[in-house]
Amino acid sequence: MKPIQVGLLGIGTVGSGTFNVLTRNQEEIKGRAGRGIEITMVADLNVERARSIVGDGVQVVDDARKVIENPDIDIVIELIGGYGIAKTLVMEAIAAGKHVVTANKALLAVHGPEIFAAASAKGVMVAFEAAVAGGIPIIKALREGLTANRIEWVAGIVNGTTNFILSEMRDKGLDFEVVLKEAQRLGYAEADPTFDIEGVDAAHKVTLMSAIAFGIPVQFDKAYTEGITKLSSVDIRYAEQLGYRIKLLGITKRAAKGVELRVHPCLVPAKRLIANVEGAMNAVVVEADAVGTTLYYGQGAGSEPTASAVVADLVDVTRLHTADPTHRVPHLAFQPGAMSDEAVLPMEEVVTSYYLRMRVADQTGVLTKVTGLLAEAGISIDAVLQRESDEISGEDGNQTDLIILTHDTREGEMNATLEKIQTLPSVLAPIVRIRKEELN
Ligand code: HSE
């Protein structure tokens, strides 16, 4: 059988990795897919650069529509990114009856419902393994490998840039701004790092995992998103003294009243494997009723790691493109008629435990006042650490850092109580609040 023909839109880092992996491993890939898979057409604004990557045997154009209009192309890979022109081209490719493979988490997290509906109506597949955690096959695991299970929660380090920054802050005791500059110099962070450091990229990814894990629609607008820009190395060190590491986690959880969907910095027990995921690496933990806890670890970005996921999708599409669409794996794991309408919980309704740091006057009765307000609200204390000396905070002896770990409480309750504690005259600076997850 002649090879299936693929058109590639955008040949940057991941696109060139995809071309190279397909070329290098073509015999093995053919053996697995049942027929060859060839990129025969590439669209990129930089035609010269594209040609230097793919050589003369591949048609290179600067107009993506020429790829979409080519009747010989069965699969379109979208590696342009963003939700501007990428969305238009993906919708046009679907309308033209092409299967789509994409690494575009932002596009699917924001416009997933429209894109999946259009693909289902047209009977084509939209595959997106590369959109979440790069080379880690977490979409495959959630959608197929764990299909026997009722999934309870998913928690992941799904942004390498922020994990690199947090690792450096902990290792070297440096502040966020200093490490960010270093990360930019080394190429770990973009010139505009907003989506990474504000948690938006992680929220796109956890939104997709949430939909697949629980069979709910993709709803990025309901995700709570908080990044790492306000984290201080002081808190990283206090957390360490208490046996925790701070990680930016994407969490989605089945709770009593709905589904939690959130990204924020989090204290995680240092003994958990995920707490020891360092540098730009990614990891996802899934808790499910039959299998228990499983952990998926690997490179969440980069040319060939991400290409590994793109090519895996190409193989899946090649195997299934002639199958009856109802026999394919559904985009979001559940058949359209079996999707859940369970609501995503507002952050005020999320129940979790907390790390609190208060800069207080070192006077008699301060601790009693603070713990009294917590007790009034029914918030139970797990541990208290008071640093009289300047060994971590570097401040003078008339002030002290009061660190409190709480047991689980509703976020709304915690917010109201922190407002009251903040008004105490002996509380000298804005209270630092970081959520804590035991992940057990
Ligand atoms: N910028 C992302 C990260 C990689 O730092 O993990 C692509 O999603």
Side-chain angles (χ1 to χ4, degrees), residues 164-284:
F164 173 82
I165 292 173
L166 292 177
S167 300
E168 288 289 291
M169 286 173 74
R170 186 178 77 82
D171 271 0
K172 300 183 177 156
L174 296 171
D175 282 326
F176 170 77
E177 293 296 343
V178 176
V179 179
L180 173 62
K181 284 207 175 74
E182 180 67 359
Q184 284 172 315
R185 196 181 65 75
L186 293 171
Y188 283 109
E190 309 268 352
D192 178 1
T194 312
F195 264 31
D196 291 322
I197 62 178
E198 297 294 358
V200 178
D201 175 72
H204 287 149
K205 293 166 181 168
V206 76
T207 296
L208 293 172
M209 291 196 288
S210 179
I212 293 173
F214 304 123
I216 58 173
V218 172
Q219 37 200 326
F220 172 69
D221 57 332
K222 304 270 172 51
Y224 173 82
T225 306
E226 182 183 316
I228 63 166
T229 55
K230 297 190 180 71
L231 270 186
S232 141
S233 55
V234 170
D235 294 304
I236 292 175
R237 275 176 283 163
Y238 280 140
E240 192 132 46
Q241 287 195 358
L242 291 157
Y244 292 86
R245 301 259 169 95
I246 298 181
K247 294 291 182 188
L248 182 73
L249 288 190
I251 298 171
T252 186
K253 193 183 279 188
R254 199 191 285 278
K257 293 184 188 156
V259 172
E260 298 180 8
L261 178 54
R262 50 194 170 103
V263 170
H264 50 72
C266 215
L267 270 76
V268 180
K271 63 188 175 197
R272 300 269 178 267
L273 287 170
I274 196 169
N276 295 280
V277 170
E278 299 286 12
M281 299 303 283
N282 281 199
V284 180

Side-chain angles (χ1 to χ4, degrees), residues 56-76:
D56 294 331
V58 176
Q59 192 185 350
V60 179
V61 294
D62 62 1
D63 179 359
R65 291 202 169 87
K66 293 207 171 107
V67 176
I68 293 169
E69 285 161 7
N70 183 341
D72 295 331
I73 300 283
D74 285 313
I75 309 172
V76 170

Side-chain angles (χ1 to χ4, degrees), residues 103 105 130-134 158-163 188-190 195-196 201-202 205 280 282 300-302 306:
K105 62 238 72 179
V132 181
V158 287
N159 182 269
T161 305
T162 45
N163 202 51
Y188 283 109
E190 309 268 352
F195 264 31
D196 291 322
D201 175 72
K205 293 166 181 168
N282 281 199
T306 311

Side-chain angles (χ1 to χ4, degrees), residues 35-116:
R35 65 190 281 197
I37 300 174
E38 277 181 13
I39 293 176
T40 55
M41 200 169 177
V42 173
D44 198 289
L45 292 177
N46 192 338
V47 171
E48 285 317 305
R49 190 180 159 281
R51 192 162 283 127
S52 74
I53 296 166
V54 299
D56 294 331
V58 176
Q59 192 185 350
V60 179
V61 294
D62 62 1
D63 179 359
R65 291 202 169 87
K66 293 207 171 107
V67 176
I68 293 169
E69 285 161 7
N70 183 341
D72 295 331
I73 300 283
D74 285 313
I75 309 172
V76 170
I77 308 176
E78 182 275 307
L79 296 175
I80 296 166
Y83 22 64
I85 186 68
K87 184 190 172 205
T88 308
L89 293 172
V90 163
M91 293 303 280
E92 286 180 11
I94 291 169
K98 314 290 184 195
H99 303 285
V100 173
V101 172
T102 179
N104 194 336
K105 62 238 72 179
L107 174 65
L108 294 181
V110 176
H111 297 291
E114 183 185 346
I115 290 169
F116 294 131

